[in-house]
Structure formats: C-alpha cells, structure tokens
Amino acid sequence: SFDMALSSILTEAEIAAGLQSCQAADTFDYKTFFVKVGLNSKSKDQVAKVFGILDQDRSGFIEEEELKLFLKNFSASARALTDAETKAFLAAGDSDGDGKIGVDGKTALIK
C-alpha cells in the first residue's frame, strides 16, 4: 500500500506534522508541508521514491487529479486539496507548462 511505502521514508510524527499544518481548506502550502514532513532533508533517491508513490498511474508525471489527492497518500483520512491549492501546487512544480509535474519539477519543488 502507499502508506507503507511512505512510512519507510517518513516517520508518523513527520507525516502528522505535515498534515496538521494544512488541516483547514486553502491553508496547504507545499513548502511548509515538505519542511514539516522532513522531505527537504531527504536524499534524491528518497524524494524519487515519494514521487513514485504519488504518481499513482505510473505515468512518470503527477497530474492534477493525483495532486488533488496528494494529502491522502500520507493519511487516508486527510482531505483533498481545494482547486486553488491544487492549481498553485501544480504551477509551482510544472516547469514546462504542460499541466503536470515531472520528476525534475518534483525535485525543484522539494529542494
């Protein structure tokens, strides 16, 4: 399951801290979230692993629909992102304007 894979990279406490930082609608900030879950201190390999978990259809990209459910990868009870949050997150990682985030964009987001 996705949770198991993520928990091999992030601790429960890190995940909880990340989710707590954005419980209310429109409070999700990817920079804050990645710092809280400790992703910005992980290795490139670990970041790539997380990317693979988020890329649920294995397309090599994270599409808008997958981003919307981003938080659910960390906890099944987490909320979906709002449209505004999803668009802002997408814009930040979409380096070439194709409407999705590739591995390069993902790494740029986190670092």
Side-chain angles (χ1 to χ4, degrees), residues 20-56:
Q20 211 157 9
S21 72
C22 57
Q23 277 177 320
D26 291 319
T27 58
F28 174 75
D29 174 72
Y30 70 90
K31 287 184 182 143
T32 306
F33 185 83
F34 288 139
V35 170
K36 296 262 190 215
V37 296
L39 258 186
N40 53 347
S41 60
K42 305 289 183 226
S43 70
K44 256 201 152 93
D45 282 352
Q46 288 172 311
V47 170
K49 240 188 220 145
V50 171
F51 181 91
I53 294 163
L54 299 176
D55 175 22
Q56 295 188 347

Side-chain angles (χ1 to χ4, degrees), residues 54-96:
L54 299 176
D55 175 22
Q56 295 188 347
D57 62 2
R58 299 273 173 263
S59 63
F61 296 96
I62 298 180
E63 288 89 8
E64 195 165 336
E65 209 35 56
E66 289 168 329
L67 271 186
K68 201 176 185 55
L69 303 176
F70 173 77
L71 296 175
K72 292 192 174 291
N73 288 291
F74 295 89
S75 167
S77 60
R79 65 181 179 86
L81 294 182
T82 65
D83 287 347
E85 288 170 323
T86 306
K87 297 247 187 290
F89 195 4
L90 183 64
D94 181 9
S95 43
D96 53 7

